[in-house]
Amino acid sequence: MSSVDTQLEELKAEITAELPADISVSDVTYEGPELVIYTRDPKRFAQNGDLVRDLAGKLRKRITVRPDPAALSPPDQARDRILEVIPEEAGVTDLDFHEDTGEVVIEAEKPGMVIGRHGATLREITQEVGWTPEVVRTPPIESSTVSNVRNFLKQERDDRRQILERVGRQIHREELADEQWVRITTLGCCREVGRASFILSTAETRILIDCGDKPGSDDVPYLQVPEALGAGANSLDAVVLTHAHLDHSALVPLLYKYGYDGPIYTTEPTRDLMGLLQLDYLDVAAKEGRTPPYESEMVREAIKHTIPIEYGDVTDIAPDVKLTFHNAGHILGSAVSHFHIGDGLYNVAFSGDIHYEDTRLFNGAVNDFPRVETLVLESTYGGRDDYQTDQEDSERELLDVINETYDRGGKVVIPAFAVGRSQELMLVLEEAMRTGKIPSMPVHLDGMIWEATAIHTTYPEYLRDDLRDRIFHEDENPFLADEFNHIDGGDDERQDVADGDQAIILSTSGMVTGGPIMSWLEHIGPDPDSRLVFVGYQAQGTLGRRIQNGWDEIPIGGDRVGRSETLKLEMDVETVDGFSGHADRQGLENFVKTMNPRPEKILCVHGDERSVQDLSSGLYHDYHLRTFAPKNLETFRFL
């Protein structure tokens, strides 16, 4: 018998001893980080809401209770009874019964009403029918991504359970290493923006954090070094994804092409956005005549291996590593990733990309941890002069630009990231039109912006408190304003907009590296009454940065590279700071300054050379911390 089997037998005996005599335990198993208890008495479990919580506290594990098939009401009977228990105003749109696990997935417009106060309605459902309810939100805006991901995971339930059981045994295996040490190896995004990737390793475990591309470049992370995949893809225990932007997520599916078969830990919205952005990444590569690094099948493999974690849940991901995600304030589902290593041995936090102050979309980044000895900190705006305009001033400046352009009969074209900045701008524009600060006019959303917005409305619990309340309680979802128009007719529709009256266009890509923004520049670029407005970071080497720096002739057609055909831009070009999803220099300093306790060491990464060195130097002088501005392929040992 393996050590994991022995452990499960011991846990089963301990659980049986803790439970009342009239509650049976037929089996205990691991599924990923969770301990799953099978019982013929699910209704008794449901009658006492404290049982599972007390067990989880005593065993220090995440626990799921599942009924034996013999304890279940037939699905037809259960369906009727469940609908009687749930209030009608919850808006149940689907019930899906899974007899293999005894779970019923309830899709509803208002999941909170299905859950009930402190889970009371869920417990009542189990008491009545035996089934274990799982609740998901019906997207207020129909999302093909959310629908496709949910349907795919439903089809792959058997495979997924096998994956989770294998991962669970891996997590809870016996520790074999005699030594104790902690190391970080930098595989990308050091003294540069893009291709974020790190290895966190202990004597027992190897974890990859992020695996992204580099905008405007073919450079990829140094995955083939011995610390990463050089020892074989399955030498990795886990992949942790901080958020879905392609400079962090684009190459995650490549790991499965190389033979990785393990878990990806991320938040639920990041999982969905990851799939959306990666499939678009493949689509753009094909349209531009480039050979994509992996097939769409690998994106599905990545989604199938994803284990979603909510903010604040402490989760075992290896025998000696616990992971906790916290809101990073950057984009939907973005997470500061905190690793607790060993039994109080060492703590490392990776900021991912952060925004420290509240924005219209998100609460500011969390920096409150029990302990952090080392912080790996993004430095995108870490330069000594990288102070962004106050958000209110930025909004006022943008509205002034829109009003001036409107008065002269032009159009405002804004290259925007589909995820994050577009939704932030939508909120600004919706309020400005509703309150009369700018005239009401069409706001055309091109590229993936509409689909990304639909995913935002599926997960309002990840949005800023007051915005979530508007979507939840007040039936005034700002993303559904009449002015927003989804461009889905391609170039003919764009030509109609270009020939029409004043309008605002939000279009991907945010750094003008391809996508529909190129078509908008062809249609509207020659119009001197119109304006191109940059509101987000333009990385070095991108066409966006070149236009921002004064280029007024740009390559057009085909793959945009090596073509003699150019377009003269007659439209004015403006940059409005303050809408970035990244903290500026002050925000980064405040993130560190208000940490309690402060880390002993900080690695400044994800910024160009000047930015990381300025921030590293500033934090060292102001707060007397040991700081580093590492290069790619450096390894730091902390114990």
Side-chain angles (χ1 to χ4, degrees):
M1 185 182 283
S2 74
S3 63
V4 175
D5 290 323
T6 304
Q7 190 184 129
L8 287 169
E9 285 295 325
E10 290 170 356
L11 281 167
K12 183 176 176 181
E14 189 175 353
I15 291 164
T16 302
E18 287 290 325
L19 292 173
D22 59 345
I23 298 184
S24 64
V25 174
S26 51
D27 195 18
V28 174
T29 187
Y30 286 122
E31 285 189 13
E34 298 202 334
L35 182 67
V36 181
I37 301 172
Y38 286 90
T39 177
R40 286 183 290 278
D41 308 296
K43 297 179 182 182
R44 288 281 292 110
F45 258 103
Q47 284 166 8
N48 185 342
D50 295 332
L51 272 182
V52 173
R53 189 175 67 238
D54 292 347
L55 271 177
K58 186 168 181 59
L59 302 175
R60 296 178 67 193
K61 295 190 183 300
R62 290 169 57 179
I63 290 178
T64 296
V65 176
R66 292 211 184 119
D68 268 0
L72 302 174
S73 304
D76 286 347
Q77 290 178 24
R79 177 184 301 276
D80 293 342
R81 190 68 197 100
I82 289 169
L83 292 174
E84 288 173 15
V85 170
I86 297 172
E88 196 172 330
E89 54 268 37
V92 174
T93 51
D94 191 29
L95 291 174
D96 192 14
F97 292 88
H98 298 281
E99 298 192 37
D100 56 332
T101 59
E103 291 172 304
V104 52
V105 180
I106 303 169
E107 188 178 273
E109 293 165 1
K110 297 179 179 175
M113 300 192 74
V114 181
I115 295 166
R117 188 173 173 77
H118 304 306
T121 309
L122 295 183
R123 288 196 298 277
E124 188 179 350
I125 289 168
T126 301
Q127 284 178 54
E128 292 290 334
V129 298
W131 294 80
T132 301
E134 181 186 325
V135 189
V136 296
R137 181 180 312 284
T138 308
I141 300 173
E142 190 174 337
S143 163
S144 58
T145 302
V146 173
S147 174
N148 290 341
V149 167
R150 288 177 181 175
N151 287 333
F152 172 67
L153 292 176
K154 185 172 150 185
Q155 291 162 16
E156 301 290 331
R157 278 180 77 88
D158 289 346
D159 264 13
R160 212 172 134 67
R161 275 188 76 193
Q162 289 176 17
I163 292 167
L164 289 172
E165 286 179 11
R166 190 179 71 243
V167 169
R169 297 179 76 84
Q170 201 47 20
I171 291 170
H172 298 95
R173 70 186 187 269
E174 188 179 353
E175 289 189 49
L176 299 174
D178 296 328
E179 299 178 277
Q180 289 187 320
W181 44 262
V182 178
R183 300 190 311 184
I184 291 175
T185 300
T186 59
L187 306 182
C189 87
C190 291
R191 305 194 184 194
E192 62 180 356
V193 174
R195 61 168 170 171
S197 198
F198 302 90
I199 290 281
L200 173 65
S201 53
T202 71
E204 188 71 42
T205 300
R206 191 175 298 191
I207 297 163
L208 180 72
I209 295 100
D210 288 346
C211 194
D213 73 346
K214 185 172 179 179
S217 162
D218 293 329
D219 292 346
V220 298
Y222 292 94
L223 293 172
Q224 300 302 348
V225 298
E227 293 89 340
L229 304 186
N234 276 322
S235 66
L236 292 177
D237 288 88
V239 173
V240 172
L241 182 57
T242 61
H243 67 287
H245 275 156
L246 289 172
D247 60 330
H248 293 255
S249 79
L251 299 177
V252 168
L254 191 61
L255 303 172
Y256 293 90
K257 181 176 176 178
Y258 287 154
Y260 179 62
D261 197 28
I264 300 167
Y265 295 94
T266 194
T267 62
E268 201 169 8
T270 296
R271 176 199 65 196
D272 293 2
L273 290 168
M274 171 186 84
L276 172 70
L277 294 177
Q278 288 165 352
L279 290 172
D280 184 70
Y281 173 77
L282 297 182
D283 190 42
V284 169
K287 283 177 181 170
E288 295 183 350
R290 293 183 285 114
T291 304
Y294 51 82
E295 305 297 320
S296 58
E297 180 57 35
M298 295 299 104
V299 177
R300 287 189 283 277
E301 279 299 305
I303 289 169
K304 185 163 72 176
H305 284 76
T306 299
I307 299 177
I309 301 177
E310 293 183 14
Y311 292 153
D313 282 355
V314 180
T315 303
D316 290 302
I317 65 167
D320 60 339
V321 180
K322 294 183 191 307
L323 168 66
T324 312
F325 283 142
H326 301 275
N327 169 42
H330 174 62
I331 64 168
L332 185 72
S334 60
V336 178
S337 304
H338 179 274
F339 297 89
H340 178 79
I341 299 160
D343 191 9
L345 181 68
Y346 205 79
N347 295 266
V348 178
F350 286 78
S351 73
D353 290 350
I354 54 170
H355 196 289
Y356 184 58
E357 305 294 335
D358 290 353
T359 64
R360 283 178 177 268
L361 262 184
F362 304 114
N363 298 323
V366 169
N367 65 348
D368 185 15
F369 317 103
R371 275 176 50 195
V372 175
E373 281 76 42
T374 290
L375 171 66
V376 181
L377 179 65
E378 73 121 320
S379 316
T380 314
Y381 288 109
R384 63 171 54 90
D385 298 321
D386 287 344
Y387 293 95
Q388 292 173 22
T389 316
D390 173 79
Q391 184 155 341
E392 283 185 21
D393 291 341
S394 302
E395 290 181 10
R396 201 175 302 115
E397 186 181 347
L398 176 65
L399 299 184
D400 286 346
V401 169
I402 291 170
N403 278 322
E404 288 168 21
T405 310
Y406 183 92
D407 288 344
R408 64 191 199 190
K411 297 170 184 67
V412 176
V413 179
I414 305 176
F417 298 112
V419 178
R421 289 322 88 205
S422 292
Q423 290 73 35
E424 187 87 23
L425 289 165
M426 287 170 74
L427 294 174
V428 172
L429 297 174
E430 184 272 337
E431 182 185 89
M433 291 187 197
R434 180 164 41 84
T435 57
K437 291 178 183 171
I438 59 174
S440 185
M441 69 186 98
V443 179
H444 301 287
L445 311 172
D446 204 351
M448 291 181 300
I449 295 172
W450 185 253
E451 180 60 26
T453 303
I455 296 173
H456 279 71
T457 65
T458 307
Y459 298 104
E461 60 272 27
Y462 284 84
L463 302 176
R464 182 171 166 166
D465 300 342
D466 55 347
L467 176 59
R468 180 184 63 211
D469 290 345
R470 284 183 70 187
I471 293 171
F472 271 167
H473 304 303
E474 296 170 31
D475 272 351
E476 50 174 76
N477 187 334
F479 297 117
L480 296 175
D482 292 339
E483 286 85 358
F484 296 129
N485 171 52
H486 176 208
I487 295 280
D488 56 4
D491 235 35
D492 289 344
E493 192 175 356
R494 293 184 194 114
Q495 185 63 59
D496 290 343
V497 171
D499 293 340
D501 293 333
Q502 297 100 318
I504 299 167
I505 295 107
L506 303 185
S507 177
T508 55
S509 75
M511 295 189 192
V512 200
T513 51
I517 187 64
M518 306 306 297
S519 177
W520 287 110
L521 292 181
E522 289 183 42
H523 287 306
I524 300 177
D527 176 12
D529 291 328
S530 292
R531 275 191 173 134
L532 180 67
V533 183
F534 289 108
V535 295
Y537 183 78
Q538 304 299 306
Q540 286 181 346
T542 61
L543 184 56
R545 173 70 76 96
R546 290 173 179 140
I547 294 171
Q548 203 175 36
N549 287 344
W551 274 33
D552 59 3
E553 285 197 12
I554 61 170
I556 58 166
D559 60 5
R560 324 286 175 201
V561 177
R563 297 299 179 100
S564 57
E565 191 179 351
T566 59
L567 171 75
K568 176 80 171 162
L569 288 181
E570 299 288 352
M571 65 197 315
D572 288 345
V573 176
E574 303 268 356
T575 295
V576 179
D577 289 323
F579 287 101
S580 173
H582 295 268
D584 67 356
R585 173 62 181 264
Q586 189 65 59
L588 293 166
E589 288 201 354
N590 288 343
F591 183 85
V592 172
K593 182 171 77 173
T594 58
M595 283 180 74
N596 183 26
R598 280 187 202 149
E600 297 162 7
K601 299 183 179 75
I602 297 181
L603 275 57
C604 296
V605 302
H606 199 287
D608 61 34
E609 192 151 359
R610 178 188 60 81
S611 298
V612 293
Q613 290 181 332
D614 280 0
L615 183 62
S616 176
S617 172
L619 292 174
Y620 168 76
H621 285 295
D622 293 348
Y623 305 112
H624 312 295
L625 300 165
R626 290 192 65 192
T627 60
F628 306 86
K631 295 179 180 177
N632 290 329
L633 293 177
E634 289 196 52
T635 294
F636 293 79
R637 178 171 177 171
F638 299 109
L639 279 176

